[in-house]
Amino acid sequence: MMHAAVMSATMPAANAYMADITDPANRTKGMGAAGAANNVGSILGPGVAALAVFSLLTPLWVMAAVALLNGLFVLRFLPEPPRHRTAVRPKRLKYGDPRIRPFIMVGVLMFTGTALVQQTMGFRFQDALGLTAAETAQHFGFAMMLSAVCSLVSQAVIVQRLSLPPFTLLRLAMPLLIAAFTLMAMSETQLALTLA
């Protein structure tokens, strides 16, 4: 619960910081870079799952140490963003504001689906492939690492080079997510589950 409470604020804070240090013309690229940085962690995280060969708790201890080091790094090296001063206090933006409502709805649905998949796919791997707990951690960790690599490439290369507007990116992502989730539900082999 503590992890979820902290992590739920991490990406919004990183995105707000990125918005503060980028101009509107480069904001989508900046957000893609922040997402790519997040995916580097997503690549390394499942790689740490390989330490489960020593103990299923070893990856948790390693990630706790990494989180501590990350916090110290932020405190020491991340500069304060520039302060924006406006003569008029802007009107407070609400979640129901029509300008952001589509993004909120899509974001909630996408991240709910992603969280559901990340929380259950380990069990799916274990059941479909008949794996032990340690084997599941290794095989699923590898699949999650590949998933994060794909996400990193899309954010670090596709988003950065094509400069597509956010709605176009969403329109491209939705069919891919639907296909991946469908393949995950129907697959019974390690190759197909990993591909999904």
Side-chain angles (χ1 to χ4, degrees):
M1 287 168 53
M2 291 166 55
H3 173 266
V6 171
M7 290 308 293
S8 64
T10 302
M11 279 310 291
N15 287 338
Y17 184 85
M18 187 59 74
D20 280 345
I21 64 171
T22 56
D23 57 48
N26 292 309
R27 193 144 300 139
T28 300
K29 287 184 179 183
M31 295 299 180
N38 183 53
N39 282 312
V40 169
S42 297
I43 292 167
L44 297 177
V48 172
L51 297 174
V53 295
F54 302 111
S55 160
L56 288 177
L57 294 178
T58 303
L60 296 176
W61 285 111
V62 170
M63 293 317 297
V66 169
L68 175 65
L69 292 173
N70 190 40
L72 294 173
F73 179 83
V74 168
L75 286 173
R76 175 71 175 94
F77 297 108
L78 197 63
E80 279 291 320
R83 301 283 181 201
H84 301 287
R85 296 178 188 250
T86 56
V88 179
R89 187 175 178 100
K91 186 178 175 184
R92 190 174 172 112
L93 192 63
K94 297 183 180 185
Y95 285 112
D97 188 300
R99 293 172 293 172
I100 63 168
R101 188 180 307 130
F103 292 103
I104 298 250
M105 289 170 40
V106 168
V108 166
L109 293 173
M110 276 179 50
F111 284 106
T112 299
T114 301
L116 179 73
V117 166
Q118 289 179 342
Q119 298 299 320
T120 59
M121 278 305 288
F123 298 111
R124 178 85 172 104
F125 267 65
Q126 189 172 25
D127 289 345
L129 305 176
L131 304 173
T132 65
E135 290 171 336
T136 300
Q138 292 172 338
H139 291 281
F140 181 60
F142 179 72
M144 290 300 293
M145 186 172 65
L146 289 179
S147 176
V149 167
C150 291
S151 188
L152 174 64
V153 168
S154 69
Q155 291 176 336
V157 178
I158 296 170
V159 170
Q160 300 298 319
R161 295 186 189 225
L162 297 183
S163 299
L164 296 171
F167 266 121
T168 302
L169 292 170
L170 287 173
R171 286 186 188 112
L172 292 172
M174 289 302 120
L176 291 174
L177 279 175
I178 291 167
F181 291 161
T182 302
L183 186 57
M184 286 175 197
M186 298 171 62
S187 299
E188 296 291 333
T189 66
Q190 182 173 347
L191 178 62
L193 286 169
T194 302
L195 178 64

